[in-house]
Amino acid sequence: MRHDREAEFAEFVRTHRPALLGYAMLLSGDSHLAEDLVQIALIRVYRKWDRVRSGTPAAYARRAVATTVIDHSRRPFVGREVGMALLPETAVTDPETALDPELVVALQQLPPRMRAVVVLRYVEDLAVEQVASILGCRAGTVKSQAARGLARLNSILAGSPTAPSFPLIATS
Amino acid sequence: MNENTNTIDRLRRMNPALGRASEEIVQQDLARGRAAAAHAHRKQAWAAGGIGGFALAVIVAGGAILPALHTGASLQASTADTPQAHTKPALQLVSYTGTQPDGYHLGKVPAGFTVESSNKDALILAPAGATDLSGEFVDRIVVSQQGGFAYSKDGRQVTINGEPALITLSVDPDPATEVQFTTGGHTVDIQIWPTIKLTDQQIIDFAQSITVTGDLTTSAG
């Protein structure tokens, strides 16, 4: 029984970890921090595995990542971060990973919860209700945050220079 | 509308990750999960009583299950980042006699400490005459209101204002003893720079001397 449980969790990690890492990277803008946050999220998933395995563990894991990122950003010791002038290197596991450097930088200028809504709604292409479930808020909040987030992104992109020419750095 | 469509298209074209995690990474995540589960079982056993002080020592020693954040290092069970219960205070708590800060009423502070700043985000206490570090928290105590999300579940269980609270060691990005507790319906977070040596009892006394008086916003990004 324990073997099955562990095997299931291992397969979940094999399949979903790269996406969680990319999601955390978009939310945090920091590849090292993203790795740490995914580690924390997967610890939470492991501990709740008996409960979440029969449901939607991927959604649970996304929520764990989102709440960890949002809470991390609330902490006073990290509340004085400055905006990025350049895109940090991205911790990705596959050279085919496709990120839009200018958009990644713009995303980091959104408040964390708004950023999470935009990433889940448009990058992950989830329905409003799914985003609301993951973030633990009302559908109306998702809609308003998504609309405001898009408006902010448009404004940021309109005022920003053309996309930087440096390539994304893929690390194994 | 066109702007929105273009931005949505660009967002949807982003593919932040492909492929599968390597077996080494999978095994590391499994090991961290197992360590966390084992730690939780030990803590539950201790909470159930009958194990006593030795178990507390084991729990404290085994408590470092959070990643060494911002280092990129793999997570290891270690005592290095574990909150330690200070038994010999280097500081005394004294009654606070200065001007009360915005949003809070302070009853006690560590001797020699004063209010450095107070705004809707955080109340910062610093040694009198400390150099302004422009946002750094070295040698400081930071009090803020939190949105009710507990960052860590691992630490030393204490009672503050009659409610359970947890004293932890946060390690991201700087080490700090941290405690979250409730007072008057507010969730308050205190972070204490590690050079400030307070016993758990002093931390409890300090926390219990704080009252939220202002309509402050919760700390948010």
Side-chain angles (χ1 to χ4, degrees), chain A residues 147-162:
Chain A
R148 291 174 59 197
L150 277 180
R152 294 265 296 260
L153 280 179
N154 288 336
S155 173
I156 293 165
L157 293 170
S160 63
T162 55

Side-chain angles (χ1 to χ4, degrees), chain A residues 102 112 159:
Chain A
E102 186 186 31

Side-chain angles (χ1 to χ4, degrees), chain A residues 99-130:
Chain A
L99 292 178
D100 181 330
E102 186 186 31
L103 200 46
V104 172
V105 172
L107 277 170
Q108 301 317 308
Q109 297 177 51
L110 302 183
R113 183 164 281 272
M114 183 183 287
R115 191 187 315 145
V117 167
V118 169
V119 170
L120 288 170
R121 182 79 181 92
Y122 299 116
V123 179
E124 304 259 332
D125 207 17
L126 299 182
V128 168
E129 291 73 20
Q130 289 175 293

Side-chain angles (χ1 to χ4, degrees), chain A residues 7-8 44 49 81 96 104 107 139 142 148 154 164:
Chain A
E8 280 181 14
R44 292 176 178 168
W49 188 249
E81 293 171 352
E96 294 179 34
V104 172
L107 277 170
V142 172
R148 291 174 59 197
N154 288 336

Side-chain angles (χ1 to χ4, degrees), chain B residues 79-102:
Chain B
T79 59
D81 294 329
T82 305
Q84 300 294 320
H86 304 300
T87 55
K88 293 182 180 178
L91 287 169
Q92 298 295 319
L93 286 185
V94 297
S95 295
Y96 179 67
T97 56
T99 303
Q100 290 294 339
D102 292 340

Side-chain angles (χ1 to χ4, degrees), chain B residues 105-208:
Chain B
H105 183 278
L106 284 175
K108 295 178 179 178
V109 295
F113 275 65
T114 187
V115 173
E116 182 177 58
S117 67
S118 176
N119 58 38
K120 66 181 180 62
D121 294 322
L123 160 64
I124 301 175
L125 303 178
T131 305
D132 180 6
L133 298 174
S134 300
E136 296 295 327
F137 296 99
V138 176
D139 296 334
R140 276 143 172 89
I141 296 173
V142 180
V143 180
S144 62
Q145 290 188 61
Q146 296 292 307
F149 181 89
Y151 189 74
S152 170
K153 303 293 186 192
D154 304 291
R156 297 189 297 279
Q157 291 282 352
V158 296
T159 300
I160 297 177
N161 295 329
E163 301 283 340
L166 205 60
I167 295 177
T168 62
L169 184 83
S170 62
V171 292
D172 178 24
D174 301 304
T177 299
E178 181 169 11
V179 62
Q180 287 189 356
F181 64 100
T182 57
T183 175
H186 301 276
T187 301
V188 175
D189 181 275
I190 299 175
Q191 294 182 64
I192 304 168
W193 194 261
T195 54
I196 302 169
K197 303 298 185 187
L198 297 175
T199 64
D200 285 358
Q201 188 57 53
Q202 285 179 313
I203 293 171
I204 293 167
D205 292 344
F206 172 61
Q208 290 184 151

